[in-house]
Amino acid sequence: MTKRRHMAIFCRCLQALLALSVIGCHAREVPESWKTDCVGRMQLSLPGDAEIAANSVKMLEAEYRVGSTQPRFEFADGEIAGWSAQHYMGRLFVSHQLMKRDISTLDRAASKYVEQSRKWAVRTKVSSSGEKLAFEMLRVEPHKGIGSRVSAAYTVSLFIEDRLIRLSSSGRDMTWAEQGKELNMFLTGVVARPFGSIPNKPGVCLPYFFVTDDGKPQRSIGMTYRLRDHPDVSVWLEDASALKGGDDRIEAKLEPRAKSDFFWSNYRTSDRILLRSEWRTPYRDISLAGTRGVESFVKIVRKDGTADYGYLAAGRGNPDEKGDTPDLMLYVIQDARIAKDKGVEPLGKDALLDIAQRIAASVKRRATAVQQTLD
């Protein structure tokens, strides 16, 4: 064997050892005491109890009146969770816990919306594509609530326990027969789900709800948590069906580094004066729940001079695989102001990074009884 070949083998072995050492440095064990919750078809673990961002009564009442392209998710105290969004069979809205008067308010708003839809369909008669508009009241059993459709577009508002869940679909590129099948699956599969409840059936986890399904509906579900023991820390996980890139230009935008660049460049630009990497290189390669991804860790200086820290992990799924390999994004970001307002000491930089990387290590596909039987 030549000296050159010996050197080549040595270099390959050294590269492999370095790669393993990097993975080992980034890996973090997840304490058994942590609480586990689920997002979409995935799950993650958190250090203690957490609040989940949802929609307020005020926002939902306005949504019934005027509609919105960006419905606001927030915590119970009004703190906004700007990256939360629920897309699954259509656009989803989920309320915070409702009082009796809140239920009455939203029930009236939902009924007025249905009546306005009926009047619009009768008045308009024909869609822009020349299709005759058909209005129909929909049954929502076994739940309490109301629903209607205009041709293939529909909206259902369900009051389950002490919350509202609303599903609205435009019906684009689908017939009512196709939409009706999905709606029936939603109506028969949706149940209330408290924080920390991990169903073992195929389906998707939403804030405070779970929907059993056949594994086929596309989804893009982003949920935001705020840690009760560390109120300065918010955690967001997005589980989305892997998008097809189409051409090289679009595929490049779906790459983990490109998505991370987009996130940090748009993160609260009006509230910061500085955002810079805390690492010598801005990105490190990782595996996020089996997807090819990157992680980043930054310092964020707010306009009031407060220095916070943020962690982001992004993974690219494979839309061409037979099984579901999703596009994933996770952030763990600090806002010390919130903790100080509650009389709690904010986390230090090293503690935040440690928690963030442990949360990233905990992200995985939620196990189901069907999968366990196949295994």
Side-chain angles (χ1 to χ4, degrees), residues 74 91 134 155 164 186 198 205 221 233-234 240-241 243 246 250 264 268 306 309 315 324 374:
E74 56 195 80
R91 185 179 287 278
T155 298
L164 165 74
F186 179 81
I198 313 292
C205 293
I221 297 172
V233 179
S234 60
S241 302
L243 291 174
I250 297 175
W264 286 128
R268 289 177 65 168
T306 302
Y309 297 91
D324 177 60
L374 293 175

Side-chain angles (χ1 to χ4, degrees), residues 227-233 334-347:
L227 306 184
R228 293 192 184 277
D229 293 339
H230 306 287
D232 54 318
V233 179
Q334 181 181 48
D335 190 338
R337 170 188 55 84
I338 298 174
K340 291 175 180 177
D341 288 347
K342 296 178 181 292
V344 178
E345 185 67 22
L347 286 176

